[in-house]
Structures are given as C-alpha cells and as structure tokens.
Amino acid sequence: MPSAIFSLVVIPALCLIPILALAGPMLFRAVGALLGFYLRRKTDGRLSHILELTEQDEKKWREGRRSSGSSTGKDDEWEKVDTYAVGTSGNGDKGEADWDGIVGFFHPFCNAGGGGERVLWAAIRATQQRWPKAKCVVYTGDHDVNKDAILFRVKNRFNIHLHPPTVNFLYLTTRHWVLASTWPRFTLAGQSFGSLIMAWDAFSLLVPDIFVDTMGYAFALGLSKFLFPEIPTAAYVHYPTISTDMLESLDPTSTVGTQGVNAGQGTGTRGKAKKLYWQLFAKVYSHVGASADVVMTNSSWTMGHIQKLWGPLRKTSRPIAVVYPPVAVSELGQEVEVSAESEKKREKVLLYIAQFRPEKNHQLILQAFAEFVKKSKSQAAKEAKLVLVGSVRDDSDSKRVYKLRLLVNELHIKDRVEFHLDASWPEILEWLRRASVGVNGMWNEHFGIGVVEYQAAGLVSVVHDSGGPKMDIVVEVEGGFTGFHATTSSEFAEGFEKALSLEDPLEVRLRARESAKRFTEEEFARRWVREMEPVVGLRELRLTMEKRRV
C-alpha cells in the first residue's frame, strides 16, 4: 500500500477504534469482523505462496542432506526433540505434535542481536521441536537483510540452529512509527499508536493461526483481538511499558521518588499533567494487554507489575507465568573455569558489563567505588580495580561516556578505573575469567541477563536491591548466599568490601554457578512449550467450533 494512501486511510481508521468501542460492543465487534474478513481475503494469496514455498524448501533441504550424506551434525539440532521441548500429555487440548498451523512472531527488530532476540530465536527453535510441521513467520522491519543472512547471524551470534524451511520473514514498511525519534513528545502514547500501524501492516501481509508478540507491543495484541477474535494470542513481556513504580517515582515523597530517570518529576503544573497522562495511558495499556490468551514474563518483578495492570481485566483463568529468558550458561561453564586453580588467577577486579545508558546508573557505581577505595583500609581496597565494559550505540552514549570519564577524574580514581567500549565476546570472556566481582547498578532491572552471566562465570555479584537481580537471580542457594544487594553508594561500597574479602570465595562462586543453571536454554524451552501448548489447543478448538457452525 502506498504510504500516502496508508496515511489517509489506515491511520484515521485506527484512530476510530476507541470511538467505536464507546459506541457499543456490537458495533465494535461488527467493524472488527469486517476489517478482519477484508485482511483475510487480501492475504489468502500470500498464505498459499508461503505454504507452497515451505513445501519446496523442505524438499530441497531433505535432498541436500541426502546428497551430502549428512544425517547428524549441528544443523540437525532442531530435530533433536529432547524431553525438555516435548509436551507431556499429547492430548488434543494441548496441541498434537503434527499440528501444522502458522505461528506469527511479531518482532520488528529481529536482527538486533540482543537478549530479546535470543528469546525470539530460542522460542522458534522450541516451537519447531515441539511442532515440527508448524510454520514460523517473523514480522520484521529489517529490510537490509534476507532470510539466509538473518539465520546465519542467529547461528553465529547465539549458537541457535533453526530449521530453515519452516521459518519465513515478512517485511514491514512502517517500523519508523515506533521509533522514539518519531515521537519527541508523548513518546509512550506515540510509540504505542505506532505499534497499531505496524500491526496493521503485519496483518496486511499475512493473518496467522496464532499471533505472538515477543517485543512488548501490547497494542498489537489488542488490535489482533479486535480484528480476529478467533485467533489465540500470546505475549512474552520483557518489561511493562509503564509500571506502578514509574508512576510512584514521579512523587518525590514516595519510597521510590529518587529512583529512575523521571524521579520526582510529578510536581508543578507540568508534573501533574505528566502524571495524569501516565495514569490514562496505564489504563489503556492494561486493557489491550489483558486481551492476550497467554502471558509470559521474563521475571518475578515483571510478572508482579503485569499482574497488577493486566490481571484484574483478564478474561481467562490461566495465570501469568514467569518464563526466564535463555542465557548462555552452558557456554560460559565451558569457557570460564571455576576451581581452586582458577582462583589463583582471579584479580581484585569489579566488573560492570552494561550498555552506557542512563538507567544503568554508572555514576552510582563510580561514586560507590570511590568511597570504597578511599575509606576502606583493607588490602582488598588497596588492590581493587573497577572495569566498565559496554557498547556505545550513538553520539548520546559517547557523550555519556565522556561525562563518566570526567567524573572519574573528579573522584580521583583515574588510575583505578578502566573503560572498554564495544568489547568483543572473547574480550568479555577474558574479563569474566579475571574478575572477582560482578556489579549491576540499575534500579528495577527487569531481569538481568548480565547478572546471570556473572554467576555462570563464578563471579560474586553486588547488585541493586530491586527488580529481577534481587527477586530471581542473586538469591540464596541451599541456604548459602550468592552475592550482595545494595541501594545507596555507601551500601554498594560495603558490598564491594564484603565481596572482595570473603574467607572462601570459591565456595560462593560454585554456589553462584549452580544458581545460574536455573536460566539455561533447555529450561526456557520447557517453560515455553508448557505455555504454548494451550494456545495451540485453543486454536484447534476454535477451528473445530467454526467447522461445526458451517
């Protein structure tokens, strides 16, 4: 659809959705059904093409494997349907293994290569293993790469091997609508509205049998239910777009009024207007998110906030589940030794691996480290070094690093702090081998993949006393601690002292590594399949009911 027609027709139509909702449920459902019928008819040709293409690719793949004489190897890993990826019941209401429907994964930035993308590809692999005949379609805005290039990056970046014939990509032309730069004002509402436009774009390309959002675009889930009530939807939520903590942080007198990038901004006329805007947005966000049939969250912290927002409005009795994201725990276990011998090579290094973004709170860690080395008289403090490893995305990140370097000079710790920008994975592995302590200073980190990596590498963690690191990761294992929690710079300094002065650090490192096993790729696959089986079963049930009506 040409962009001019799109702007003149689709955008006004999407704006009418809330007006229709107010006009009455029957009219609302009737308009949604009519638009849904139009999209189905429009995409019938592409559906047939994808099914035909999948069959051809499957045949070529099988022939290629036979001609090469290969029946085993890395590229066949998708076929190893281990017990972790197979449903235990096998009955129809949970989805049989021969189900051959189309699962649409809504992930417009699928080639980004971050933790969210690891979740996407691990989810697709688990889906392929549980339902080998299913077709996985990814809606993406990455026009600069084709299918082969994307799957090659998946294999090399995440060591995840997918079955190519049953993975297809459909390219969105509207991704710019969800960029923060498109909405310099009212960013939350603007990006959410942009996700509606992008979701319409996706359904204009293909209407799937199951729609799964893996990036947190709750409004896309709402649009799916409006257009196609019969299509089951699932959401994997990495973090709530808005949370009760965010709302409370605007109040400078609240317990979290000093935390986050918007701390204490709810005063005055402008502040009160912002608070009202956030409250209204939270209500709409709650309604669209509650429409999902199955909801998975990446941590107990995220689950708690989603439960508060979406839970009261959900029409299903199925609970919101925690499905921890997959972390390369096994790889780190192989690459980083944790033993009495490796303990001799550890240095008094505090390692903070994080992008140089405002919410990562590098400033707090620098202030805490300065306080630690200046006030502590211990041998650990005399030898300690802070190493900051992280990626720089743009000019704003570069300026932030420059300001952090200035702060290091002002705190007189220049000779004790190192910056390593855009470090390669081998470099990161080397620091994980050398360091003794892993640090995380972000308030309300939603999960904390980096903290799990610290544990898998045997580091003793000192993390912010909030979010996923507090509730899920740095917890007691078999009655013993695996790290320390802190909030203020003084508490972090105290945590550094304790972590670097342990009588038996190896015991804690081994306990931390054991703790990290809860977050393996295999455990993610088990939980993913457990949550998706009812979605497939629901789709089969609704199809059966439709056939009976006909």
Side-chain angles (χ1 to χ4, degrees):
M1 181 182 294
S3 59
I5 298 177
F6 190 92
S7 300
L8 289 171
V9 178
V10 175
I11 295 176
L14 292 173
C15 291
L16 287 174
I17 290 176
I19 299 174
L20 291 170
L22 294 173
M26 291 185 65
L27 178 61
F28 183 74
R29 287 194 292 268
V31 173
L34 183 63
L35 291 172
F37 176 75
Y38 160 74
L39 290 172
R40 282 190 182 280
R41 292 293 299 271
K42 178 184 177 182
T43 61
D44 276 347
R46 183 172 280 109
L47 171 62
S48 300
H49 175 70
I50 287 177
L51 295 176
E52 183 180 341
L53 185 64
T54 300
E55 186 176 348
Q56 292 174 357
D57 287 350
E58 185 73 53
K59 185 178 180 181
K60 290 178 182 178
W61 187 86
R62 297 288 179 186
E63 290 175 350
R65 196 173 65 158
R66 280 196 297 269
S67 64
S68 66
S70 171
S71 59
T72 60
K74 274 288 183 181
D75 289 331
D76 300 320
E77 283 193 352
W78 73 276
E79 285 191 307
K80 298 176 183 177
V81 189
D82 300 328
T83 55
Y84 74 79
V86 178
T88 55
S89 68
N91 55 46
D93 61 353
K94 281 198 173 182
E96 297 292 356
D98 60 355
W99 183 73
D100 61 354
I102 294 178
V103 184
F105 290 87
F106 194 61
H107 205 106
F109 296 86
C110 76
N111 203 43
E117 286 64 58
R118 180 185 284 276
V119 168
L120 168 68
W121 305 122
I124 290 178
R125 179 172 61 180
T127 301
Q128 287 184 326
Q129 290 176 324
R130 177 63 178 88
W131 297 281
K133 295 182 180 179
K135 290 83 179 171
C136 297
V137 172
V138 182
Y139 300 102
T140 179
D142 295 303
H143 285 264
D144 56 333
V145 284
N146 60 19
K147 173 179 173 176
D148 291 339
I150 293 174
L151 295 184
F152 180 80
R153 178 172 167 81
V154 172
K155 186 187 298 184
N156 284 272
R157 175 70 178 85
F158 301 116
N159 196 30
I160 291 177
H161 299 255
L162 302 176
H163 183 51
T166 56
V167 181
N168 287 282
F169 296 88
L170 295 178
Y171 293 90
L172 306 169
T173 60
T174 53
R175 192 173 72 176
H176 63 281
W177 283 94
V178 297
L179 298 178
S181 58
T182 304
W183 307 96
R185 298 288 183 271
F186 298 101
T187 308
L188 284 178
Q191 288 183 303
S192 296
F193 176 71
S195 70
L196 285 173
I197 296 173
M198 197 164 54
W200 177 274
D201 188 7
F203 295 133
S204 297
L205 295 172
L206 180 71
V207 179
D209 293 305
I210 292 172
F211 183 68
V212 183
D213 168 48
T214 49
M215 275 203 74
Y217 292 115
F219 284 74
L221 297 166
L223 183 63
S224 179
K225 280 298 176 191
F226 171 64
L227 298 171
F228 318 106
E230 74 283 1
I231 291 182
T233 56
Y236 187 93
V237 186
H238 295 274
Y239 56 89
T241 303
I242 193 166
S243 68
T244 52
D245 281 354
M246 282 175 64
L247 290 167
E248 291 175 11
S249 71
L250 293 176
D251 183 359
T253 62
S254 72
T255 55
V256 293
T258 59
Q259 303 289 345
V261 294
N262 292 286
Q265 293 185 12
T267 59
T269 304
R270 185 173 181 178
K272 290 178 181 177
K274 183 169 189 172
K275 188 172 184 179
L276 177 61
Y277 157 51
W278 276 15
Q279 289 171 337
L280 291 173
F281 177 82
K283 288 183 178 180
V284 180
Y285 173 71
S286 298
H287 276 277
V288 293
S291 69
D293 294 294
V294 167
V295 178
M296 295 168 268
T297 61
N298 67 340
S299 70
S300 298
W301 181 89
T302 303
M303 189 270 286
H305 284 278
I306 291 298
Q307 181 62 47
K308 284 182 183 178
L309 293 165
W310 298 5
L313 300 170
R314 297 189 74 213
K315 296 179 181 179
T316 175
S317 60
R318 186 169 184 83
I320 295 171
V322 175
V323 179
Y324 294 127
V327 184
V329 172
S330 301
E331 181 183 354
L332 285 166
Q334 295 171 354
E335 294 286 350
V336 182
E337 182 184 355
V338 180
S339 64
E341 188 63 30
S342 66
E343 193 63 31
K344 299 174 185 177
K345 303 174 184 177
R346 296 272 183 184
E347 303 172 23
K348 300 296 184 183
V349 169
L350 301 161
L351 180 65
Y352 190 10
I353 302 176
Q355 287 184 331
F356 289 98
R357 304 202 311 259
E359 62 270 23
K360 295 301 181 180
N361 217 346
H362 288 85
Q363 184 175 344
L364 171 66
I365 300 305
L366 288 172
Q367 291 168 340
F369 181 71
E371 185 174 338
F372 166 56
V373 297
K374 290 175 183 176
K375 293 185 177 180
S376 175
K377 305 299 182 183
S378 67
Q379 186 63 33
K382 294 179 182 178
E383 300 175 8
K385 179 189 295 184
L386 175 64
V387 175
L388 305 177
V389 177
S391 59
V392 176
R393 302 165 301 172
D394 47 35
D395 287 342
S396 62
D397 283 357
S398 297
K399 291 176 182 176
R400 196 168 294 112
V401 171
Y402 175 72
K403 290 180 180 178
L404 290 173
R405 291 184 188 275
L406 290 179
L407 179 60
V408 166
N409 286 328
E410 292 172 9
L411 294 171
H412 304 292
I413 52 174
K414 183 178 179 180
D415 59 334
R416 309 285 289 273
V417 177
E418 292 185 19
F419 288 81
H420 292 272
L421 311 183
D422 297 319
S424 65
W425 181 239
E427 289 176 289
I428 292 173
L429 285 174
E430 185 58 31
W431 279 115
L432 289 170
R433 296 185 188 102
R434 292 172 58 183
S436 294
V437 177
V439 182
N440 184 289
M442 179 177 171
W443 172 64
N444 276 347
E445 177 86 80
H446 313 111
F447 175 65
I449 287 178
V451 180
V452 176
E453 292 175 341
Y454 292 156
Q455 289 192 332
L459 274 64
V460 180
S461 300
V462 181
V463 300
H464 200 282
D465 191 26
S466 65
K470 173 188 178 180
M471 299 174 69
D472 294 316
I473 305 173
V474 185
V475 297
E476 288 191 355
V477 173
E478 298 178 353
F481 67 91
T482 56
F484 304 93
H485 304 132
T487 302
T488 66
S489 60
S490 296
E491 290 173 354
F492 269 100
E494 184 180 347
F496 297 161
E497 177 72 50
K498 291 178 179 178
L500 289 173
S501 305
L502 294 170
E503 290 185 11
D504 188 359
L506 180 59
E507 179 184 356
V508 182
R509 297 192 200 289
L510 291 172
R511 200 155 52 226
R513 171 162 280 188
E514 187 64 28
S515 173
K517 292 179 181 178
R518 295 175 293 137
F519 311 108
T520 62
E521 293 172 328
E522 293 80 8
E523 183 60 27
F524 169 82
R526 285 191 192 96
R527 296 191 182 204
W528 174 268
V529 168
R530 183 187 66 196
E531 296 303 316
M532 285 298 292
E533 279 182 331
V535 182
V536 174
L538 185 60
R539 179 56 179 160
E540 292 292 272
L541 176 64
R542 289 176 179 173
L543 281 174
T544 302
M545 292 174 65
E546 286 179 14
K547 289 176 181 177
R548 286 176 181 172
R549 282 199 295 267
V550 173

